[in-house]
Each structure stands twice: as C-alpha cells, then as structure tokens.
Amino acid sequence: MDTVQLTPYHSAIPSWSGFQYQGKVAINVVLDYILKIDPAEVNRFFLELEWYEDFSIIKDDKYVSIHQVKSYKKRTLSEYKDALWNLLGKSVLKNGVESYLHAATELVAINEMKSRLIQLDPPSEPKPQKDPSKGPRIKGYTPWHYYKMVVDADAYNSAFENLSIYSYEETKQYCPMNELEEEIKKRIIQYCERKKGGTPTQAHVETTYNYLLGELDKHITIRHVAEQESEEGEDELIPDRICFSNFISVLDNEWEEPSEEYIIHRLKNIFHSTCEFLFHELHETIVNEGNEHRLEDLQRAENYVRAIAGMSNDSFFTFCQMVTPHIEFQKADSLAFRNLIPQNGMDVFCLALYEIKQALNGYKYILQDQQKNLCYLPSTIRLSTSRIRNESRELSKIAVGILGNAAIRDELYEIEAIITDNVRASSLESAANKFTDIESKGERNNNITKIKNIRLIDIDTAMEELN
C-alpha cells in the first residue's frame, strides 16, 4: 500500500481572505531589503510566493528569511499557535533560517511568547487516512508535524533564537491593514530620495505603489493558472520567484500619463482592499454572534473573489464594467477609475456572493440557476434617494444607463436579472419608460429586446429564487 508523502511546501494558493494584506506585507519587506542590500547584488535576491512559507526571501538559491502573515484582529496567543509552530519547525528544517511573524495587531513580546507557547496545548494531530491509496500522494506538513520536529529534536530554544515579530518601526512590531499602504509609500519615498537625491511627487509615489502591486498581481495570476492546471493533472507546481530587479525597474521608472494597465492595477487594488475589509467585518460578526455555520458561506464568497482576482487585466476591466452596468466606459481611463468599483456599492456585491448559495459559471462573477439555466449578475447598484432625488426618477436613470451601455451589450444578452441592494423592477424597459421613452430603440433586434426584459431584483429576492 502506498504511503502519503509529506512536504513542507505549499501545493496550492490559500483561501483569498488576507491575501491582499499578505501581498502588501511582502512588498514592504522587499523594499526593506532593497534599502539595505548592496545595489550590485539586487539580481541575486528573489521574492518567493506561497511555497515554503506565505513568502520567503532568497539569495541565489538559499533561503535568507521566511515569513508568515496573519491579519487577525485577535491578540490571544492561541490564535497564532499554529503559525508559530510552523515557523519554528521550518527554521529547524532550513538549519536556522531567520523566520518572521507579521501581525496586524499588537502581540506580546517575543520572550513572553516563548515562555507561553510551550505551555499551550500542542496543535491537533491530523487524523490518519483510512486508505492512503485513494488520497493524494503528497500532503503538506501540519502544525502538529512541525511541533513534533522541534520537540523531538530538543530545538525549541534554538529555533526561537531565529524567530522574530517583524518590526515596521523601531518600537512597532505590527501593522494594521489600513496603515500598510502608507508604510510602503514611505519606503518608496526613501528609495527615491536615496537614488535620485530628491523627494518624489505624490503622483509619482501613488503610481509606483500601484505598479508594485501590479508586478505582484502578474505572478499571483500566473500561479493561479498553474494551480488549476496542476489540479487537472496537466502540470506540477513549481516555486514562483520574482527577482528584485523587477521591483527595481518599477521604482526607477519615470512615470508619465497613467496607462490603461495602471488604471486597472488601481481598480484591482481598490477591489481587493474593499472586499478584504468587508470580509473581515463579516467574519467578526459571524464569530461574535456565534453563527460559525455561516463560515462556509463566507469561504465560498472569498473563493469567488479569489477567482476574480485571477483574471487577466482585460477580463477584470470587463468585470468592472459589468458590476457597474449603469455607467458606460469604453476604456480604462482616469474617469473610469473614479466611477467603477464604487466603495459604497461593493458591500452589495460581496453580500450577494455571501448570501446566495449558487456556483459561479465560467464568467467567474455571474451566478447561475443550474436547474433553469438562468444567469444572475451581482452588481454594485444601490438606489440613493432624497427630497430632490425621486426614487422613480433615479430608477429610470439607472435603467436607461444600463440599456444604453454599448460597452457591455454583448455580455448582457444572457442575463436574466441584475442583483441590486434595494432596486426592484419587472424589466429595464418598464423602469426606464417612467421618465424616458425608449420604445423606438431596437424593436427589431431580439437581443436588444432581451436586454430590455432584464429584471432588477434586490438580494432578498435573489435569495428566494436561487437558494
């Protein structure tokens, strides 16, 4: 009977939650290294993503440091127990490589951590596989395996000598999610001042920041595709390493007018950051209210967002156009950036993914009724009314905007309903005609007629129809 082979390497991208934070932490660490290493050695350093650890720094082919990132709001040591044993065990495996824990909230000092960790219950031992011949041949080491390595080798004290909580400032060993962007921008400014002898403009810093995220995003997308191919048996995963020279190229560029690529990088950053923040809040609510059974729904929503994050730039821009269907933009420019992916509408989109228990189809952002073969589009649409803004008039403007949006007309043909926050209409045509006559447009075109018949429904209605 075959046995299962254990490996200390990641064999798949993790759940999406926290990954945007993790990626920004990795960029921050890369910039710290760039600021302190000899410029002549830049080509010898690499950032390795999701392989030996969440990320690692490598010089030539040797691990310099390994890093695990936790974006928990919790401060109790038990929440970090598994992460600590992972780092300690991997440090032992790599003969004392430096290991770092990155936290979004303040933790106890490393000495206190050392004295208390060993007193906690050890990590849970994995259950034995009933029939190894019917399971995966390779599985990752668990925290329990690393715990056993350290204890059996009597290496607890020596391993802790190589473990640190990463410092962002001299007296600050944590970095909240909402402060990480500024930390990265500080290092960009430091690099420019040192390399170019002057303080860069705010626009230059902003552009550089987003292109650094874009450089990382390219590799995340490539790895996502490689993972899918590996699952289908077409290929084996290999470490994804980015040479520091790639980041230097971004830092040294004299950015001019923002390109479409840059605009899409910024849109992706807003999308990732907004979803991550909303999912963190939702997780806190689920745990505080004792609704742990809803964590599965949250995981499903995170997986949807992860699929979207793996899109190419062109596909992602189409996604932006689709979830904001009442505003037309033919290309990714600065005006599109200010209007697509509205932050006050992303909670509508995320809540729809969380509440509706249906699989995404090939578009990665359209929910499908499998029995009736009908497609539902989650959107960011939220009706805003006031004494001046009449509800019917605002609804009409939204409907007219969708019907006139030539940029996504081909994609709208197969949509049955658009999911909104608080908008309900039997059809786009009926909603639009309350204030605008559209009868003469496209009557002989069946596709246009089908688009006119798209319904606008709220999340509760979508849950009734799809769940």
Side-chain angles (χ1 to χ4, degrees):
M1 181 180 293
D2 293 336
T3 58
V4 176
Q5 178 185 346
L6 293 172
T7 174
Y9 301 99
H10 291 268
S11 59
I13 291 177
S15 65
W16 184 85
S17 178
F19 193 75
Q20 177 71 356
Y21 178 78
Q22 177 178 312
K24 290 179 181 178
V25 168
I27 289 176
N28 193 76
V29 170
V30 167
L31 292 177
D32 278 342
Y33 270 90
I34 286 174
L35 288 168
K36 70 182 181 182
I37 63 176
D38 184 345
E41 295 196 322
V42 163
N43 288 329
R44 300 176 63 187
F45 281 83
F46 296 83
L47 169 67
E48 181 184 84
L49 296 170
E50 279 301 321
W51 189 250
Y52 194 62
E53 247 309 337
D54 287 342
F55 68 90
S56 303
I57 303 298
I58 293 173
K59 183 178 181 181
D60 297 327
D61 205 31
K62 183 179 179 181
Y63 284 90
V64 177
S65 60
I66 60 175
H67 302 254
Q68 184 152 146
V69 182
K70 294 302 175 190
S71 56
Y72 307 143
K73 291 182 180 179
K74 305 282 187 181
R75 296 189 179 190
T76 56
L77 188 61
S78 59
E79 296 288 334
Y80 298 84
K81 177 176 67 177
D82 288 354
L84 290 169
W85 284 115
N86 283 352
L87 288 170
L88 293 172
K90 290 181 180 183
S91 180
V92 170
L93 279 177
K94 290 296 180 184
N95 299 317
V97 66
E98 291 182 0
S99 57
Y100 292 95
L101 175 66
H102 296 259
T105 191
E106 189 173 10
L107 303 179
V108 297
I110 195 74
N111 289 336
E112 184 177 352
M113 192 176 285
K114 177 182 176 182
S115 64
R116 289 172 52 188
L117 177 65
I118 197 68
Q119 298 174 7
L120 298 176
D121 291 336
S124 300
E125 183 175 359
K127 295 179 180 179
Q129 192 170 354
K130 293 182 180 178
D131 186 356
S133 66
K134 295 182 180 180
R137 295 293 185 274
I138 300 176
K139 297 183 94 172
Y141 286 138
T142 68
W144 181 83
H145 290 106
Y146 291 120
Y147 163 80
K148 289 288 291 178
M149 283 180 202
V150 174
V151 173
D152 291 349
D154 194 24
Y156 186 74
N157 291 329
S158 59
F160 245 103
E161 290 178 2
N162 299 309
L163 174 66
S164 303
I165 305 172
Y166 199 84
S167 296
Y168 291 84
E169 296 174 6
E170 190 171 334
T171 58
K172 182 180 173 184
Q173 294 186 306
Y174 67 98
C175 188
M177 194 179 304
N178 60 350
E179 296 179 14
L180 193 49
E181 180 175 323
E182 287 306 311
E183 289 289 329
I184 295 172
K185 289 178 180 178
K186 285 179 188 176
R187 284 152 182 77
I188 294 172
I189 293 171
Q190 288 178 330
Y191 177 86
C192 291
E193 289 175 340
R194 182 179 301 179
K195 179 74 181 254
K196 303 173 184 178
T199 302
T201 65
Q202 183 177 350
H204 179 86
V205 174
E206 187 71 31
T207 306
T208 302
Y209 169 76
N210 281 282
Y211 268 109
L212 286 172
L213 292 181
E215 189 65 37
L216 204 64
D217 185 65
K218 291 176 190 176
H219 289 263
I220 294 169
T221 302
I222 291 169
R223 183 157 172 79
H224 179 77
V225 172
E227 178 196 313
Q228 291 177 324
E229 291 176 349
S230 178
E231 289 175 353
E232 295 166 2
E234 297 181 10
D235 200 2
E236 289 186 8
L237 282 175
I238 58 174
D240 183 20
R241 295 176 179 177
I242 311 172
C243 184
F244 276 22
S245 61
N246 291 34
F247 298 106
I248 292 290
S249 296
V250 174
L251 290 165
D252 286 347
N253 205 316
E254 295 293 343
W255 301 108
E256 299 176 359
E257 190 67 22
S259 64
E260 288 194 52
E261 181 187 21
Y262 168 71
I263 295 297
I264 293 172
H265 286 333
R266 292 198 67 185
L267 284 169
K268 277 193 174 184
N269 181 40
I270 289 175
F271 172 72
H272 290 159
S273 299
T274 305
C275 289
E276 186 166 55
F277 179 78
L278 291 170
F279 285 151
H280 268 278
E281 285 200 327
L282 192 51
H283 183 274
E284 290 291 311
T285 301
I286 290 171
V287 173
N288 291 339
E289 294 180 354
N291 294 328
E292 277 76 8
H293 63 283
R294 295 302 309 269
L295 290 174
E296 183 178 340
D297 295 325
L298 179 59
Q299 181 68 58
R300 185 185 64 252
E302 290 178 348
N303 288 340
Y304 292 164
V305 171
R306 172 185 161 193
I308 295 165
M311 290 178 174
S312 67
N313 281 354
D314 287 343
S315 296
F316 183 79
F317 186 64
T318 300
F319 159 75
C320 295
Q321 293 169 302
M322 288 289 283
V323 297
T324 318
H326 55 303
I327 305 176
E328 181 179 358
F329 291 102
Q330 293 285 351
K331 65 177 183 177
D333 55 21
S334 57
L335 191 60
F337 170 73
R338 289 195 293 270
N339 288 276
L340 298 178
I341 309 295
Q343 294 195 36
N344 63 352
M346 280 307 300
D347 53 344
V348 181
F349 177 80
C350 289
L351 189 62
L353 297 184
Y354 171 70
E355 294 288 8
I356 298 168
K357 306 175 189 295
Q358 288 287 345
L360 294 176
N361 71 1
Y363 279 95
K364 298 188 176 74
Y365 52 82
I366 293 175
L367 299 165
Q368 191 164 25
D369 184 330
Q370 302 292 339
Q371 294 181 338
K372 299 178 182 178
N373 197 29
L374 299 176
C375 294
Y376 290 66
L377 173 66
S379 76
T380 61
I381 296 174
R382 167 177 282 155
L383 200 61
S384 178
T385 60
S386 65
R387 291 184 179 182
I388 298 175
R389 293 182 174 180
N390 175 274
E391 182 174 320
S392 296
R393 187 177 295 277
E394 289 300 306
L395 175 54
S396 179
K397 286 170 61 178
I398 289 172
V400 169
I402 298 172
L403 290 169
N405 193 344
I408 57 171
R409 189 165 291 153
D410 290 344
E411 285 77 14
L412 286 176
Y413 291 151
E414 58 187 290
I415 301 299
E416 159 67 19
I418 296 174
I419 303 170
T420 73
D421 179 48
N422 54 353
V423 183
R424 300 179 71 171
S426 59
S427 71
L428 288 174
E429 182 177 26
S430 65
N433 274 335
K434 288 187 177 181
F435 284 92
T436 307
D437 182 11
I438 63 167
E439 292 297 330
S440 61
K441 297 182 180 180
E443 283 300 308
R444 290 176 293 179
N445 187 319
N446 289 334
N447 284 331
I448 296 295
T449 301
K450 189 174 187 307
I451 292 174
K452 288 181 180 180
N453 290 329
I454 292 175
R455 295 180 296 134
L456 296 174
I457 61 176
D458 57 24
I459 292 176
D460 289 338
T461 303
M463 291 169 63
E464 292 174 7
E465 295 184 13
L466 288 168
N467 285 354

